[in-house]
């Protein structure tokens, strides 16, 4: 099973600043990686797939990069609505495996 | 507008059974693979099961294999999850989620239904 590890567990950033979230795979997943945002009490929302392609309706301040085992989600200028938990998910060995990272909580500094 | 609405959650005793449903609207349901994803209280996301558009391909996480059964009724635009032999560790919010076409990522999610397994 491919294990996804996100860092840091919690990230404190001020509004307007840049946030950089990391996701590492235990083995190469090529570019088969997605990012999701989840706010308290809500379902997750797809942000990025294919490591760097923004999903429909996702603002340009969200960008994804990386391939192989190292991936980054960057939020260029944090808005109040961006404070949430972010999950990465690999789908390289689909079927059947799709595994999520444990999440990074982005909080207001 | 794509909508996914789950129902059927509740409190059940260990060893019991429950059937979850997901009503889909706003898209051609029969053209998309569908999934169940769960989230234990205060924890992360866990993929549970997937079913292809015509039910030809079905997959389960090891943690539920042999106990859960996914199915769909394209005529009723509905997805189901039959859960048997429930354990305390199955306690979670269960989300219905659609696969993006040609890419196994979850592009739309329902609001979730809570399943609590406790005596």
């Amino acid at each position: 099973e491919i294990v996804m590890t996100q860092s840091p567990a919690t990230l404190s950033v001020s509004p307007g600043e840049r946030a950089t979230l990391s996701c590492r795979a235990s083995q190469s997943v090529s570019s088969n990686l997605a990012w999701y945002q989840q706010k308290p009490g809500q379902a997750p929302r797809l942000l990025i797939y294919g490591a760097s392609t923004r999903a429909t309706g996702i603002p340009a301040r969200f960008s994804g990069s990386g391939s192989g085992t190292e991936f980054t989600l960057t939020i260029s200028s944090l808005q109040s609505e961006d404070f949430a938990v972010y999950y990465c998910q690999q789908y390289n060995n689909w079927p059947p495996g799709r595994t999520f990272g444990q999440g990074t909580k982005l909080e207001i500094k | 507008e794509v909508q996914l609405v789950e129902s059927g959650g509740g409190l059940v005793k260990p060893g019991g059974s429950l059937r979850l449903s997901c009503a889909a609207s706003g898209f051609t349901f029969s053209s998309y693979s569908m999934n169940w994803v769960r989230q234990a209280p205060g924890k992360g996301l866990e993929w549970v099961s997937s079913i292809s558009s015509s039910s030809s391909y079905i997959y389960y996480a090891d943690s539920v294999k042999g106990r859960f059964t996914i199915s769909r009724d394209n005529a009723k635009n509905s997805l189901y999850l039959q859960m048997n032999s429930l354990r305390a560790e199955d306690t979670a919010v269960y989300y219905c989620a659609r696969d993006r076409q040609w890419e196994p990522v979850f592009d739309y999610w329902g609001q979730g239904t809570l399943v609590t397994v406790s005596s």
Side-chain angles (χ1 to χ4, degrees):
Chain A
E1 177 185 321
I2 299 176
V3 177
M4 307 302 293
T5 303
Q6 293 186 240
S7 61
T10 303
L11 182 62
S12 299
V13 183
S14 300
E17 293 189 341
R18 175 188 297 257
T20 303
L21 289 68
S22 296
C23 175
R24 173 176 292 179
S26 60
Q27 63 189 76
S28 177
V29 298
S30 187
S31 295
N32 296 313
L33 186 106
W35 289 94
Y36 301 85
Q37 176 194 67
Q38 187 179 33
K39 298 178 182 179
Q42 296 186 17
R45 176 174 71 145
L46 176 66
L47 298 176
I48 301 283
Y49 61 92
S52 60
T53 302
R54 278 189 302 276
T56 303
I58 301 304
R61 65 180 182 273
F62 291 90
S63 63
S65 63
S67 65
T69 62
E70 301 284 342
F71 300 88
T72 300
L73 174 69
T74 301
I75 311 170
S76 59
S77 177
L78 279 165
Q79 308 296 304
S80 57
E81 63 265 30
D82 299 335
F83 293 96
V85 178
Y86 291 82
Y87 294 95
C88 63
Q89 175 234 325
Q90 71 81 21
Y91 49 98
N92 189 62
N93 62 339
W94 175 258
R98 302 194 219 188
T99 47
F100 290 91
Q102 81 281 15
T104 290
K105 182 180 180 181
L106 180 58
E107 63 176 28
I108 300 175
K109 187 174 182 179
Chain B
E1 179 193 6
V2 172
Q3 285 200 326
L4 300 169
V5 180
E6 302 93 337
S7 60
L11 175 63
V12 61
K13 290 182 168 53
S17 298
L18 211 55
R19 190 194 195 208
L20 306 183
S21 299
C22 172
S25 61
F27 65 102
T28 304
F29 181 72
S30 59
S31 296
Y32 288 83
S33 294
M34 297 295 296
N35 309 272
W36 291 98
V37 179
R38 68 184 180 183
Q39 186 170 35
K43 303 297 184 182
L45 301 167
E46 180 188 15
W47 166 76
V48 172
S49 183
S50 298
I51 186 168
S52 63
S53 56
S54 59
S55 303
S56 298
Y57 301 98
I58 287 175
Y59 306 101
Y60 298 99
D62 288 344
S63 57
V64 306
K65 201 173 294 182
R67 300 187 299 122
F68 289 11
T69 302
I70 191 172
S71 63
R72 65 191 295 162
D73 186 334
N74 287 343
K76 294 183 178 180
N77 290 341
S78 293
L79 176 72
Y80 307 102
L81 186 67
Q82 177 67 42
M83 303 186 296
N84 298 332
S85 303
L86 282 161
R87 307 165 179 167
E89 54 265 35
D90 295 318
T91 294
V93 173
Y94 284 74
Y95 294 102
C96 165
R98 190 185 83 168
D99 261 353
R100 188 177 184 279
Q101 277 201 325
W102 321 123
E103 194 113 20
V105 296
F106 311 112
D107 66 349
Y108 285 94
W109 300 63
Q111 85 290 349
T113 187
L114 176 62
V115 173
T116 303
V117 184
S118 174
S119 55

